[in-house]
Amino acid sequence: MQIIKKVLHVRMWLLIMGITPFIGSLPDLLDIENAVQNAWDAPLTERAMDIASAYEIIWTTHAMLFGAICIAVSFFLSSGSRAKFAAIASAAVIVFIAPGFAYSSYGDSNQLSGGFLALFVLMHAMVLLTGLVHWNDGAESK
């Protein structure tokens, strides 16, 4: 059991879950026009470009904020609280965000399809498992 707990270290997985979207969103946020052109297959009118740019800004800032929160939680919460946050946040991502990426069909080329989507879900499943394994950490000290 100790080997499993060492492999499933909550802080490490929270940092992975935080750094990945935070760093991954930076290029898109710094160059929104290029992000829109890469993400949308169809040629866009000026009005559609404005709407698509707003969409990209919303998603990139959302991903960056989620990443920043995960990074902060990994350093500032107790071990039991980190585990609970990890389990709940990763379950929410698997239930709400992954299907949205998988089934969006409104013009976005959906870069989170196939293998990358499987990797995305697998990473969050590992975080969920880690949170569940460590759910009661710190309970014995109370």
Side-chain angles (χ1 to χ4, degrees):
M1 187 65 170
Q2 290 294 42
I3 293 173
I4 292 173
K5 282 196 170 195
K6 287 185 183 211
V7 170
L8 299 176
H9 194 270
V10 177
R11 181 172 287 154
M12 176 192 73
W13 283 104
L14 277 173
L15 285 171
I16 291 169
M17 193 167 88
I19 291 169
T20 304
F22 190 85
I23 299 297
S25 296
L26 277 175
D28 288 348
L29 194 58
L30 295 174
D31 190 4
I32 289 294
E33 187 175 326
N34 187 42
V36 169
Q37 290 171 349
N38 289 335
W40 295 81
D41 291 333
L44 301 175
T45 65
E46 185 176 339
R47 174 86 173 123
M49 182 66 140
D50 291 342
I51 294 168
S53 295
Y55 168 84
E56 294 297 329
I57 289 170
I58 289 167
W59 274 107
T60 55
T61 54
H62 173 263
M64 289 184 76
L65 180 60
F66 179 75
I69 290 170
C70 290
I71 293 166
V73 161
S74 74
F75 289 110
F76 296 121
L77 291 184
S78 67
S79 61
S81 297
R82 276 194 307 265
K84 289 171 180 69
F85 174 85
I88 293 167
S90 59
V93 168
I94 292 169
V95 170
F96 297 110
I97 304 298
F101 285 137
Y103 296 108
S104 65
S105 59
Y106 44 83
D108 192 332
S109 64
N110 197 352
Q111 296 168 346
L112 287 182
S113 59
F116 193 80
L117 182 62
L119 184 61
F120 178 81
V121 171
L122 181 63
M123 180 186 75
H124 287 90
M126 284 298 296
V127 177
L128 173 60
L129 179 63
T130 301
L132 293 174
V133 166
H134 291 279
W135 188 271
N136 291 319
D137 283 4
E140 61 276 354
S141 65
K142 292 182 181 179

